Amino acid sequence: MSTRPAAGRCLVDLSAQDRLRRGASERAPRLRVLGCPPAGAAAGYWRFLVREDVHVLGVQYPGRESRFREPAAPSIEALAAEAAAAVAAAPWAPAVASPGAAADVPLVVLGHSMGAAVAAELASRLEHREGIRVALLALSAKTAPGAAEVAGAGAGTDEDLWAGLDPQAPGADEAMVRWLRRLGGTPEAVLEHPELLALQLPALRADLRASMAYGRLPAPVGAPLLLLRGTEDDTVDPAGLDAWRPVSTGPVQRREYPGGHHPFADHRDRLLGDLMACAAPGRSG
């Protein structure tokens, strides 16, 4: 017998948090974005997307922030299953599931790096098991399972990454720091602070192991597919990203943004504009 987690357990309403900080009134959103963060990151990774007309929710994986004491999830599928149950329990879910509700707020499932695998699984579960319509599936900076990694940079070929996966191995933390520094996106204050690093590395390693073990695509969704990458991101090439194409029976579009592995914080409005345009009914690839 399965239990459904409360929506607040693994879904963090970043827009509501922002309104509370600013004392702002609630505004009807034009778009609802459900963000799956990369390995080692928490739901707050997507805080930069918060805007008055966008409802942003982050998936909170176990083993970090408010869920720090919980054991890490064993697989990508487990992360997606928990998040799907939480979405189904959310107060806005019935409207998304109602057929013919054209005026409802479009739901975008967005995943970055490891989060792209979670997002693909999550969107599939929402459509096929929960009856919840996804307006757009957006996947970023992750080679699809079964596709060849980029030589010298992908998760399967980076020596520092492999050397850093086993916390008991000599020099493992130092190797992981070198890998994170090359990847970008982790504050230098964390990388240079042993206590902060010790808090982050267990969740990061667990996420990376789950990501590496993920080996097959989920059942395809009918939603359009948007594929995203940074122009200078050497961890994924266009062919590896394009290998996600079978996860959707809808139109496919691609966008590139200036920057490396984590390019979106500097291009928030452009990213939101692309998500809104690609989630619009009748949009063709």
Side-chain angles (χ1 to χ4, degrees), residues 99-120:
D104 191 49
V105 180
L107 173 63
V108 172
V109 178
L110 168 65
H112 180 66
S113 198
M114 181 202 81
V118 180

Side-chain angles (χ1 to χ4, degrees), residues 8 25 36 42-43 65 78 80 103 113 140 152 190 213 215 230 240 246 276:
S25 58
C36 303
E65 290 192 349
S113 198
S140 166
V190 173
M276 288 181 180

Side-chain angles (χ1 to χ4, degrees), residues 223-240:
L225 176 64
L226 178 61
L227 301 173
L228 308 164
R229 73 182 288 268
T231 55
E232 299 170 28
D233 185 1
D234 62 1
T235 70
V236 59
D237 64 5

Side-chain angles (χ1 to χ4, degrees), residues 1-237:
M1 178 178 169
S2 63
T3 58
R4 288 181 180 272
R9 177 180 168 188
C10 64
L11 292 186
V12 178
D13 192 335
L14 300 169
S15 293
Q17 290 181 352
D18 184 72
R19 284 195 301 273
L20 287 173
R21 280 196 300 270
R22 296 183 296 113
S25 58
E26 187 171 359
R27 175 179 172 181
R30 298 171 54 198
L31 193 71
R32 180 171 286 119
V33 180
L34 180 58
C36 303
Y45 176 87
W46 300 107
R47 184 162 281 111
F48 72 91
L49 282 179
V50 173
R51 205 172 67 181
E52 286 186 359
D53 59 340
V54 180
H55 183 200
V56 182
L57 299 117
V59 177
Q60 189 77 288
Y61 306 146
R64 66 218 70 198
E65 290 192 349
S66 60
R67 306 186 65 188
F68 179 76
R69 297 187 182 277
E70 298 181 39
S75 66
I76 295 296
E77 292 87 349
L79 289 171
E82 182 187 57
V87 170
W92 43 265
V96 182
S98 300
D104 191 49
V105 180
L107 173 63
V108 172
V109 178
L110 168 65
H112 180 66
S113 198
M114 181 202 81
V118 180
E121 284 285 336
L122 174 55
S124 183
R125 285 176 175 269
L126 290 176
E127 179 174 311
H128 297 294
R129 301 192 185 192
E130 304 291 352
I132 292 177
R133 294 177 296 110
V134 174
L136 177 69
L137 174 59
L139 306 179
S140 166
K142 172 73 172 171
T143 297
E149 297 282 358
V150 182
T157 56
D158 191 287
E159 292 182 2
D160 281 328
L161 173 57
W162 283 103
L165 278 177
D166 181 3
Q168 305 305 319
D173 288 359
E174 292 80 3
M176 191 61 75
V177 167
R178 289 193 298 271
W179 180 74
L180 287 170
R181 197 167 265 133
R182 285 200 302 276
L183 200 65
T186 304
E188 196 64 27
V190 173
L191 297 178
E192 294 181 350
H193 197 296
E195 288 80 9
L196 291 177
L197 197 62
L199 292 175
Q200 181 170 322
L201 286 182
L204 172 64
R205 287 182 169 116
D207 287 352
L208 289 171
R209 286 192 289 268
S211 182
M212 291 175 180
Y214 183 66
R216 59 109 183 98
L217 296 174
V221 297
L225 176 64
L226 178 61
L227 301 173
L228 308 164
R229 73 182 288 268
T231 55
E232 299 170 28
D233 185 1
D234 62 1
T235 70
V236 59
D237 64 5

